[in-house]
Amino acid sequence: MRFRKGYLLILMLFWGLSAVATHQRAAEITYRWVQGLTYEVTITMYTYTPSPADDVRTSLPIIWGDNSQSEIPRIQFQALADNYTLNIYQMNHTFPGSGNYIISVEDPNRNFGVVNIPNSVNVPIYVESLLVINPFLEENNSVQLLNPPIDQGCVGKIYIHNPSAFDPDEDSLSYKLVNCRGMQGLEIPGYTLPLASTSFEIDPVTGDLTWDAPVLQGEYNVAFEIEEWRSGTKIGSVVRDMQILIGACDNNPPVITMASNHCVVAGNQLTFDVSATDPDNNGVTLTATGAPFEDNNPATLIPDPATGTPTASTTFFWNTTCEQVRKISYNALFKAKDNHPEVSLTAFQSTVISVVAPAVDVFAGEALGNGVNLSWNYSKCENSKGFYLYRRNGISDFVPGECQSGVPVSAGFSRIAIITDRNITSYRDDDQGQGLVPGVDYCYLITAYFEDGAESIASFQVCASLKRDLPVITNVSNDSLNLSQGKVLLAWAQPTELDTIQYPGPFTYQVYRLNGADTQLVYTGIGLNDTICSDATINLNNLGSEAVYEVLLKSETVGEIGSSKQAASVFLQAGPTDKALLLSWTANVPWSNDSTEIFKQNGGVFMKIGSSTTDSFLDEGLENGQEYTYYVRTTGGFSTSGFVDPIINYSQIVTGIPKDIVAPCPPDITVETNCKDISNLIKINLLYDSCYVDTKEYQIFYSISSGTDLSLLAAIPANQTEFLHQGIDFVTACYYVKAVDSTGNISEASNTVCIDWDTCPLYELPNVFTPNGDNFNDLFIPLNYPSTNPKANVERVEMTVFNRWGNVVFQTSEPALNWDGKDMKTGKDCSAGTYFYTCKVFFQTLEGLIEQQLQGSLTIVK
């Protein structure tokens, strides 16, 4: 008798707690780094004001994710409008070391009558946040959600919510919808997204949660996750579970009017006007949140808040400094709320604000010797880290826009140096000791860069040209008169600005071929006009590499004057691929090549087959195993006048043989799950027909877990595009497929498809059965069985049925249950009436076993 009384007392206490704690409306967990491994963690909850549970919940149990938990005290308790109460819980916690920690809180229970959560009064609210402690990524603070989740909506009207997420560390943010979760963090059985006439979605970039549009009035709960990214690595996340109240009302939200983008140069004041007008002539309150208002030098609104009927207007002011310069733009979120007497509606609109650093405005360059000396002064932004230096050949017409930071690729400049100390204000450009080319206009831009990679506006352009007092090579070419001999034809431009007083004649040229540290004199020319020669000591067609040359100018009176910049022959290669050859070439020369023509031998004669403005060309439609012969001809020139134009050079002759080394394209797969037969049907979809002409077979890979490598399950011939995986314990599995061609080339893996436990119907139990021998509903079995087999995703259950006195009448671990209504001890039929059950369900998931707890009542009818 003691056992029965105790059991009934436990049931009464549980039901009593459920009746009291029907109050949770919204929640989230945020954190702030304090020092070392210590973080301040804050739980923000919104509860239903009339609930008596609000008054007594002065602390909450929190799980830290490090195998410890605590009671976190409430530090704020504030009643808000529309029966919302704000509850803030906060405490510090020191974590044991580096790692990923899921901080979570679970609290019973939600509001009664949440439309999209079955039996919501008995479903806990569960939220979690991810904290990543990584010494290589520095400390991290979670996002702060500046906009509370207390907005309302109307049936048939678009509803928008934005959390106004602010990241103190300026990390990148992304947003995604997630399912609301309940007991032990499990997804809630039967949970669905709210019904929408068009769509319910969240913008992954802006965080706008848009419901277009509610169909039925009522209370709904939804959840979304905000992820933080730093250097491409996820370093944290926060989940907000929030309630949306939808009424049957004839009201329209206000309309906000302002520009969507703004830009300001640091040091200037940004000012713009914002207004909000209510189409129904209601009064409007206009406010704003976001990073500009959280800055150490915050922006302001005047007035704040702004009110008016039907229009509220305000002006945004921000006196920016260099401290606000950053690569990621700021977001300011404006919120307009009307004061409709029944349901107040809210409108949101974001504006993007870019704060860019001013340009380096003192920049100069002077040609000296074989380089250009550059100098500058930049005192405007003392928080800059250093400078980026850009160069191009020839004068550019690029002028940065008013707020355009950095140097676009289209301007034709290349970054040649990074000065990592902002106190260094000079640089010598001599092409890293190789020397610049005399007579070429070299033009430069400079930007300041900052800790996060932000760049200032580019400086004005500075150009300089070296005196043409040295020879300039213009040709290093396979002699076009007889390409098969591979003789090198060399030509250079003579110096036109040589100081003959300092360097009196007579003059000679010495042409050297360079091979690493080894040099070979191949020609000596007499006089400044002797600017052409050939090198027959090598055969370019057999060399296997480029041939590199330089020309030394000497005065017979004073000795060496200096050398030209090195130049190399065009080096062509033919890479084999399936029924094609990939031709690629290099041309390390001091001028710019604009285009290349490709020639292929056909019947002993070379014919042009194409041209390219890059350094490669694919010759297709060839026969594997057959030899093909090519050369290329480059055309280019210098950016300044006074040189031969155009400059034409020929490569060596090369041969290539196509070979099938190309793997088939990876297929695309889908998987159809049969929860009754416990099987998965893998279907292989061919996306690109031309990739599968010689496919021999498909290899199917499989794993029962998403955390382990997939292993080979089976290989099927290419004419078979389906594979039935049966005879398995559970449908839970991951699959991908690779294609193999006739020569053994294996494709990349297809998309990976994972079948998790929730692919099959949820494990639900009926509340009545009729074991009267009429062969209809005679067994107590899960819903949807036998049309689906619970063993497809359930490893076992722990099912216990009690009568009203607390006596156990049935127990089983069999997922199908199959209770015939008999008392397990006596074998006699249980009498008609109400019974109670508890059931632990162990699902086989991709991450291992998870447990779901069910409890309720069932009625035997006879």
Side-chain angles (χ1 to χ4, degrees):
M1 199 64 177
R2 288 179 181 176
F3 172 78
R4 285 181 293 188
K5 287 182 178 180
Y7 179 74
L8 290 175
L9 178 60
I10 291 172
L11 286 177
M12 290 173 66
L13 287 173
F14 177 81
W15 292 330
L17 178 60
S18 298
V20 170
T22 59
H23 65 300
Q24 294 293 357
R25 306 185 81 164
E28 70 227 16
I29 303 171
T30 56
Y31 51 82
R32 181 180 66 85
W33 177 72
V34 178
Q35 62 177 5
L37 298 172
T38 301
Y39 288 76
E40 176 189 84
V41 176
T42 302
I43 302 171
T44 304
M45 279 192 167
Y46 295 86
T47 54
Y48 182 61
T49 302
S51 170
D54 265 359
D55 299 326
V56 300
R57 297 309 301 271
T58 58
S59 67
L60 285 179
I62 186 169
I63 298 175
W64 298 110
D66 59 359
N67 297 318
S68 70
Q69 61 184 45
S70 305
E71 284 289 325
I72 183 170
R74 185 167 64 188
I75 64 169
Q76 185 174 344
F77 182 59
Q78 177 186 358
L80 306 175
D82 301 318
N83 285 325
Y84 278 90
T85 295
L86 172 63
N87 301 261
I88 297 180
Y89 302 79
Q90 192 176 86
M91 72 181 298
N92 288 2
H93 182 73
T94 301
F95 292 86
S98 299
N100 294 359
Y101 300 97
I102 295 179
I103 307 168
S104 62
V105 63
E106 176 185 327
D107 189 50
N109 286 4
R110 297 174 186 265
N111 280 29
F112 175 82
V114 177
V115 176
N116 60 328
I117 297 180
N119 194 28
S120 62
V121 69
N122 289 322
V123 177
I125 191 169
Y126 172 94
V127 290
E128 67 180 31
S129 292
L130 171 65
L131 166 64
V132 177
I133 301 179
N134 185 334
F136 299 103
L137 295 175
E138 300 182 345
E139 296 78 17
N140 183 46
N141 299 278
S142 75
V143 296
Q144 303 298 313
L145 309 188
L146 305 179
N147 187 38
I150 57 177
D151 305 315
Q152 303 177 55
C154 289
V155 172
K157 309 290 184 181
I158 292 179
Y159 168 89
I160 298 177
H161 170 77
N162 189 297
S164 188
F166 164 67
D167 191 279
D169 307 311
E170 302 179 2
D171 295 315
S172 298
L173 303 180
S174 63
Y175 303 79
K176 66 180 180 182
L177 289 172
V178 295
N179 288 342
C180 291
R181 293 157 76 178
M183 183 177 293
Q184 297 184 357
L186 299 175
E187 293 189 1
I188 301 168
Y191 171 82
T192 60
L193 287 175
L195 184 63
S197 59
T198 302
S199 62
F200 187 96
E201 59 190 6
I202 193 168
D203 189 300
V205 177
T206 67
D208 284 342
L209 178 71
T210 303
W211 186 357
D212 184 13
V215 176
L216 299 172
Q217 63 179 334
E219 298 176 354
Y220 299 82
N221 267 77
V222 298
F224 55 88
E225 183 178 5
I226 307 170
E227 298 174 301
E228 296 176 74
W229 302 87
R230 186 179 300 172
S231 301
T233 300
K234 181 178 176 180
I235 62 168
S237 64
V238 170
V239 172
R240 167 175 275 185
D241 187 319
M242 62 175 286
Q243 191 170 95
I244 306 173
L245 279 63
I246 301 297
C249 47
D250 186 17
N251 188 22
N252 295 284
V255 177
I256 300 174
T257 303
M258 67 172 177
S260 59
N261 292 278
H262 295 89
C263 180
V264 60
V265 178
N268 297 330
Q269 183 186 72
L270 175 64
T271 305
F272 59 88
D273 296 326
V274 184
S275 64
T277 302
D278 188 79
D280 304 310
N281 292 316
N282 294 309
V284 177
T285 300
L286 179 61
T287 57
T289 55
F293 303 98
E294 303 296 321
D295 195 81
N296 292 330
N297 178 42
T300 58
L301 294 181
I302 300 178
D304 184 17
T307 58
T309 304
T311 300
S313 299
T314 189
T315 302
F316 176 96
F317 294 93
W318 196 8
N319 292 309
T320 62
T321 69
C322 286
E323 296 300 322
Q324 278 82 53
V325 172
R326 71 180 195 182
K327 188 173 184 178
I328 300 175
S329 299
Y330 294 85
N331 281 293
L333 179 70
F334 287 82
K335 176 179 179 180
K337 186 174 184 180
D338 67 22
N339 62 355
H340 191 277
E342 296 177 3
V343 177
S344 293
L345 296 186
T346 302
F348 293 94
Q349 187 168 327
S350 295
T351 186
V352 176
I353 301 173
S354 299
V355 181
V356 300
V360 176
D361 58 2
V362 179
F363 187 38
E366 180 184 9
L368 187 64
N370 67 347
V372 176
N373 291 338
L374 300 161
S375 62
W376 58 91
N377 180 33
Y378 191 60
S379 58
K380 293 182 178 180
C381 287
E382 295 185 356
N383 59 326
S384 62
K385 304 306 270 185
F387 303 95
Y388 293 150
L389 191 62
Y390 297 85
R391 182 187 72 198
R392 64 165 277 160
N393 294 358
I395 299 173
S396 170
D397 58 2
F398 167 69
V399 177
E402 182 181 1
C403 266
Q404 182 180 10
S405 62
V407 179
V409 174
S410 60
F413 286 84
S414 299
R415 187 187 297 173
I416 62 168
I418 301 175
I419 293 91
T420 58
D421 185 346
R422 72 174 308 273
N423 295 313
I424 296 175
T425 57
S426 63
Y427 181 84
R428 176 169 173 78
D429 178 24
D430 58 3
D431 199 16
Q432 299 180 349
Q434 298 299 310
L436 299 177
V437 178
V440 175
D441 289 326
Y442 290 100
C443 295
Y444 300 87
L445 296 174
I446 191 169
T447 63
Y449 75 88
F450 294 76
E451 183 72 37
D452 67 345
E455 284 187 72
S456 72
I457 298 172
S459 68
F460 57 84
Q461 186 175 208
V462 166
C463 296
S465 176
L466 274 61
K467 291 177 60 177
R468 281 188 54 183
D469 55 2
L470 291 173
V472 178
I473 295 178
T474 57
N475 294 89
V476 183
S477 176
N478 194 354
D479 191 345
S480 61
L481 297 179
N482 195 337
L483 292 172
S484 61
Q485 286 188 358
K487 182 173 62 175
V488 182
L489 178 65
L490 294 141
W492 57 94
Q494 69 181 59
T496 58
E497 299 176 82
L498 179 62
D499 187 346
T500 56
I501 296 176
Q502 182 180 2
Y503 301 106
F507 302 100
T508 60
Y509 297 111
Q510 291 183 341
V511 181
Y512 289 91
R513 186 174 70 248
L514 311 179
N515 183 15
D518 184 28
T519 61
Q520 181 177 350
L521 178 64
V522 297
Y523 180 76
T524 299
I526 307 299
L528 292 178
N529 295 323
D530 190 357
T531 59
I532 190 169
C533 74
S534 63
D535 179 9
T537 64
I538 61 169
N539 185 340
L540 282 177
N541 301 321
N542 301 328
L543 188 61
S545 65
E546 63 183 5
V548 183
Y549 295 86
E550 71 176 13
V551 179
L552 173 66
L553 175 62
K554 297 182 67 175
S555 164
E556 295 298 325
T557 304
V558 298
E560 294 185 5
I561 299 174
S563 295
S564 71
K565 191 172 178 64
Q566 295 176 8
S569 62
V570 183
F571 182 61
L572 175 65
Q573 293 178 287
T577 187
D578 188 20
K579 297 182 179 179
L581 286 169
L582 178 61
L583 304 175
S584 59
W585 52 90
T586 58
N588 297 312
V589 292
W591 62 89
S592 297
N593 284 318
D594 305 317
S595 64
T596 303
E597 297 170 297
I598 297 92
F599 295 83
K600 181 169 70 174
Q601 192 175 49
N602 185 9
V605 178
F606 282 95
M607 301 180 64
K608 179 181 174 180
I609 61 170
S611 61
S612 173
T613 57
T614 66
D615 56 3
S616 65
F617 178 86
L618 184 64
D619 188 17
E620 301 178 278
L622 309 180
E623 293 294 329
N624 288 341
Q626 183 174 325
E627 186 176 85
Y628 297 87
T629 304
Y630 304 86
Y631 72 83
V632 298
R633 180 173 65 193
T634 62
T635 301
F638 288 99
S639 61
T640 55
S641 60
F643 297 95
V644 60
D645 187 55
I647 295 175
I648 297 174
N649 286 276
Y650 292 78
S651 75
Q652 87 281 19
I653 296 173
V654 300
T655 59
I657 301 175
K659 184 173 69 172
D660 185 2
I661 60 172
V662 179
C665 296
D668 180 79
I669 67 167
T670 56
V671 179
E672 295 180 0
T673 297
N674 188 319
C675 296
K676 180 180 180 180
D677 297 337
I678 313 181
S679 63
N680 290 318
L681 179 64
I682 298 95
K683 292 187 173 182
I684 302 170
N685 307 307
L686 309 183
L687 299 181
Y688 310 101
D689 292 342
S690 61
C691 292
Y692 297 97
V693 292
D694 65 342
T695 298
K696 176 183 178 182
E697 67 178 20
Y698 296 106
Q699 296 178 343
I700 301 168
F701 292 79
Y702 156 78
S703 173
I704 61 173
S705 169
S706 61
T708 58
D709 293 334
L710 279 67
S711 56
L712 183 63
L713 171 66
I716 59 175
N719 60 359
Q720 181 180 333
T721 58
E722 293 185 355
F723 177 80
L724 182 63
H725 191 196
Q726 56 188 346
I728 52 180
D729 294 330
F730 307 100
V731 298
T732 307
C734 289
Y735 301 92
Y736 65 68
V737 174
K738 294 182 178 181
V740 184
D741 68 15
S742 57
T743 59
N745 297 308
I746 302 175
S747 75
E748 296 291 328
S750 71
N751 56 308
T752 300
V753 176
C754 291
I755 307 301
D756 211 345
W757 66 283
D758 54 0
T759 303
C760 293
L762 296 173
Y763 195 88
E764 299 178 285
L765 300 177
N767 56 14
V768 64
F769 78 113
T770 58
N772 54 14
D774 64 354
N775 295 322
F776 178 76
N777 202 26
D778 281 341
L779 296 176
F780 184 69
I781 58 177
L783 294 175
N784 302 313
Y785 178 66
S787 60
T788 62
N789 190 338
K791 290 185 178 180
N793 60 353
V794 177
E795 191 264 350
R796 72 180 191 281
V797 300
E798 294 179 3
M799 176 73 172
T800 303
V801 181
F802 305 87
N803 62 19
R804 58 183 175 173
W805 296 283
N807 293 325
V808 177
V809 296
F810 177 71
Q811 282 184 315
T812 187
S813 61
E814 168 60 42
L817 303 180
N818 289 319
W819 184 35
D820 57 5
K822 297 182 183 296
D823 189 309
M824 62 181 295
K825 296 179 180 177
T826 65
K828 296 180 179 180
D829 291 339
C830 293
S831 59
T834 300
Y835 294 78
F836 303 95
Y837 67 83
T838 61
C839 183
K840 292 183 179 180
V841 185
F842 295 89
F843 289 97
Q844 181 64 51
T845 78
L846 292 172
E847 309 300 328
L849 289 179
I850 63 170
E851 177 186 334
Q852 178 183 347
Q853 297 189 16
L854 303 176
Q855 57 188 24
S857 62
L858 64 95
T859 302
I860 294 179
V861 178
K862 294 188 176 180

